[in-house]
Amino acid sequence: MKIDYTNATFSLSNDSIRSGHALAESAFKTVVQKSGRGNDFLGWVDLPVDIKDNDLADIEQCADGLAVCSEVVVVIGIGGSYLGTRAVVEALQHSFSGLSNHKRPLLLYAGNNMSEDYLHDLLEILDQKSYSLIVISKSGTTTEPAIAFRILKQHCEQKYGKEDSRKRIVSVTDGARGALRTLATQEGYATFVIPDDVGGRYSVLTPVGLLPIAVAGYSIRDLVKGARLMREELLAHPNYADNPAMQYALVRNLLYQQGLKVELMTSFEPKLYYFIEWFKQLFGESEGKELKGIFPAGAIFSTDLHSLGQYIQEGTRQMFETVLTVEKAHYHVPIPKDEQDTDGLNYLQHRSIHEICHIAQQGTCQAHVSGKVPNIEISIPELNELHLGEWIYFFEMSCAISGYMLGVNPFDQPGVEAYKRNMFLLLGKPGVR
Ligand code: PA5
């Protein structure tokens, strides 16, 4: 993984970067020494080394069991109990996954919205497919997945009978508390535990993400290995100059102080759409509090250059851009020669599409920089489990450092409760006043 922020520094003085080193190093130390706010939620720091071979084997065995009896596995969860899985799976799977002949079950998602039509459509598909359910909720009480699970559980029991359906339902939840834990114990579902000291948005490397990712057929060992390698690299370098997580955290923090309140995470790789969604949740929930924080936004290029591009180039100057680059494509699709050359594309005939894309990216960066949009580039050599694991750990660490630099607790989310309380009051939930 490489980070390049030379295109972001035109608006930052060397002095401001130099004087920020100490702050970044101190925030990093606070994370590693577990001495800051929210320090009871730092289990993710050691997760890549705490997960043992037999934990991974248990997850793989359960995943294989679901895979043999299911064309579809529905992952029920929201926020941190959903986005990490989708980020990894969509980055790795076929672009037309539902239509490809991938040998493992197709993952579908539920409980991540409250659309009745969505649930109707899902049930219609599940009438026709063999399926299993993975229900994920740390609290075990979140309304969206709880509603979806009640409906899907009943559908599953009606389709397969009570006994067989128990073998098709796996829960991932707290070790002792919550309605889902109680239900799972009552029904005898296979259950994986979310460690107490890992919060939802930092939980992709627990069974929350690992189980569904393994069901979809991807190597959770490589994913964890990538995170482990990144952990080793970051922990071995407590100095700013050699620690990319500190560098990213500091540069975005300085840009924020200059009035750039929006970070637009972009990529020219559409398979990273959900990785960007995961990033948005990670940083948005971790930093957006106490009336502070960068607003994390996302865009996929070149698609969005034809929609948001105009605004980025010439609209209100309030954003900087972080570009996720994948250096190598897996496949080559040649541009054929055309004798007539009516479309005038023969000049591109000897270029790969990936190379053209890379040049488009360079041109975009130059244009945005000239439009005063600072640009940070974070790249990996190719899209695979190992590099995604590196990115996951890198962004988690950067987010924690950045949150401490901002002076907030990066591990709570008190603001999420406000809508829930109003909703429960309006719905007349017993016990809510
Ligand atoms: O990051 C978080 O803590 C949240 O986004 C949660 O993951 C989300 O609200 C879902 O919570 P739960 O897993 O308790 O259902």
Side-chain angles (χ1 to χ4, degrees), residues 59 106 136 182 194 284 296 342 349:
I59 293 172
L106 177 69
I136 307 171
T182 310
I194 308 172
T342 316
Q349 200 209 330

Side-chain angles (χ1 to χ4, degrees), residues 331-408:
Y331 304 104
H332 176 53
V333 180
I335 298 176
K337 184 171 162 81
D338 185 287
E339 290 308 332
Q340 309 293 321
D341 196 25
T342 316
D343 53 13
L345 288 179
N346 276 356
Y347 79 106
L348 293 177
Q349 200 209 330
H350 300 293
R351 303 257 200 186
S352 75
I353 293 177
H354 195 71
E355 188 191 351
I356 297 169
C357 181
H358 191 68
I359 292 167
Q361 181 173 332
Q362 280 177 314
T364 306
C365 173
Q366 283 165 9
H368 290 176
V369 168
S370 72
K372 302 266 177 298
V373 178
N375 190 292
I376 303 169
E377 185 182 8
I378 303 177
S379 49
I380 49 173
E382 62 180 310
L383 218 39
N384 61 24
E385 290 91 331
L386 190 89
H387 295 309
L388 286 169
E390 288 178 325
W391 258 356
I392 285 169
Y393 195 87
F394 166 80
F395 282 110
E396 287 178 348
M397 180 59 86
S398 305
C399 182
I401 298 171
S402 191
Y404 281 145
M405 289 177 71
L406 197 62
V408 299

Side-chain angles (χ1 to χ4, degrees), residues 25 233-234 236-247:
E25 287 170 0
E233 184 189 329
L234 297 179
H237 296 106
N239 55 320
Y240 177 85
D242 299 315
N243 187 308
M246 273 188 232
Q247 293 165 6

Side-chain angles (χ1 to χ4, degrees), residues 77-82 136-142 145 194 199-203 281 285 413 416 420:
I78 195 166
S81 290
Y82 145 75
I136 307 171
S137 177
K138 184 163 186 202
S139 62
T141 54
T142 308
I194 308 172
R201 57 193 176 273
Y202 292 84
S203 70
Q281 190 220 355
E285 262 188 2
Q413 53 285 329
V416 178
K420 291 185 191 169

Side-chain angles (χ1 to χ4, degrees), residues 2 9 42 56 94 124-125 131 136 139 144-145 175 188 195 207 237 259 286 289 321 387 399 409:
K2 284 188 288 200
T9 48
L42 280 162
L56 293 171
H94 193 283
E124 205 172 79
I125 296 298
Y131 74 91
I136 307 171
S139 62
E144 294 89 331
H237 296 106
S286 299
K289 53 196 70 158
E321 200 174 343
H387 295 309
C399 182
N409 174 357

Side-chain angles (χ1 to χ4, degrees), residues 71-350:
E71 294 168 272
V72 164
V73 172
V74 185
V75 181
I76 305 165
I78 195 166
S81 290
Y82 145 75
L83 279 163
T85 296
R86 199 155 189 184
V88 172
V89 170
E90 302 239 349
L92 297 173
Q93 76 186 2
H94 193 283
S95 301
F96 306 97
S97 52
L99 302 172
S100 74
N101 51 9
H102 187 55
K103 301 277 177 293
R104 300 286 287 200
L106 177 69
L107 296 194
L108 298 179
Y109 301 89
N112 59 333
N113 62 57
M114 289 204 226
S115 162
E116 192 155 13
D117 286 357
Y118 181 96
L119 273 168
H120 164 271
D121 294 352
L122 178 61
L123 290 171
E124 205 172 79
I125 296 298
L126 297 181
D127 282 339
Q128 302 151 29
K129 303 278 180 194
S130 60
Y131 74 91
S132 302
L133 306 174
I134 302 177
V135 53
I136 307 171
S137 177
K138 184 163 186 202
S139 62
T141 54
T142 308
T143 309
E144 294 89 331
I147 292 175
F149 183 54
R150 182 185 275 214
I151 292 167
L152 293 173
K153 173 180 181 285
Q154 197 180 79
H155 187 276
C156 190
E157 287 171 354
Q158 279 163 3
K159 180 161 173 159
Y160 295 106
K162 191 97 180 143
E163 227 13 72
D164 197 20
S165 69
R166 285 198 182 103
K167 297 183 201 124
R168 291 176 175 271
I169 298 176
V170 179
S171 72
V172 183
T173 188
D174 186 87
R177 292 174 297 268
L180 180 57
R181 162 53 66 183
T182 310
L183 191 63
T185 310
Q186 263 170 21
E187 299 282 358
Y189 299 146
T191 300
F192 290 89
V193 172
I194 308 172
D196 276 346
D197 57 358
V198 180
R201 57 193 176 273
Y202 292 84
S203 70
V204 54
L205 298 174
T206 71
V208 168
L210 297 180
L211 177 64
I213 291 166
V215 167
Y218 301 107
S219 169
I220 55 173
R221 288 174 193 266
D222 284 354
L223 192 73
V224 170
K225 185 174 168 197
R228 196 180 300 143
L229 291 172
M230 181 54 69
R231 178 182 176 278
E232 268 167 31
E233 184 189 329
L234 297 179
L235 296 198
H237 296 106
N239 55 320
Y240 177 85
D242 299 315
N243 187 308
M246 273 188 232
Q247 293 165 6
Y248 174 51
L250 176 60
V251 171
R252 65 196 295 287
N253 185 275
L254 293 173
L255 293 169
Y256 172 68
Q257 283 174 35
Q258 290 204 341
L260 301 182
K261 311 276 191 218
V262 177
E263 177 174 17
L264 186 67
M265 175 75 72
T266 67
S267 180
F268 277 73
E269 176 48 69
K271 288 187 175 187
L272 289 176
Y273 178 86
Y274 274 97
F275 194 88
I276 294 174
E277 292 298 301
W278 172 81
F279 152 84
K280 281 160 61 179
Q281 190 220 355
L282 178 65
F283 279 75
E285 262 188 2
S286 299
E287 294 194 310
K289 53 196 70 158
E290 299 174 28
L291 307 180
K292 294 192 270 195
I294 296 169
F295 183 82
I300 290 293
F301 293 164
S302 63
T303 313
D304 291 330
L305 288 177
H306 296 259
S307 64
L308 296 173
Q310 170 61 36
Y311 187 101
I312 299 166
Q313 192 67 43
E314 296 181 346
T316 309
R317 301 298 74 188
Q318 59 183 340
M319 68 175 76
F320 63 94
E321 200 174 343
T322 299
V323 187
L324 300 178
T325 301
V326 179
E327 282 164 10
K328 209 171 105 226
H330 289 128
Y331 304 104
H332 176 53
V333 180
I335 298 176
K337 184 171 162 81
D338 185 287
E339 290 308 332
Q340 309 293 321
D341 196 25
T342 316
D343 53 13
L345 288 179
N346 276 356
Y347 79 106
L348 293 177
Q349 200 209 330
H350 300 293

Side-chain angles (χ1 to χ4, degrees), residues 54-66:
N54 56 325
D55 299 325
L56 293 171
D58 284 350
I59 293 172
E60 286 164 342
Q61 194 185 19
C62 176
D64 290 346
L66 297 181

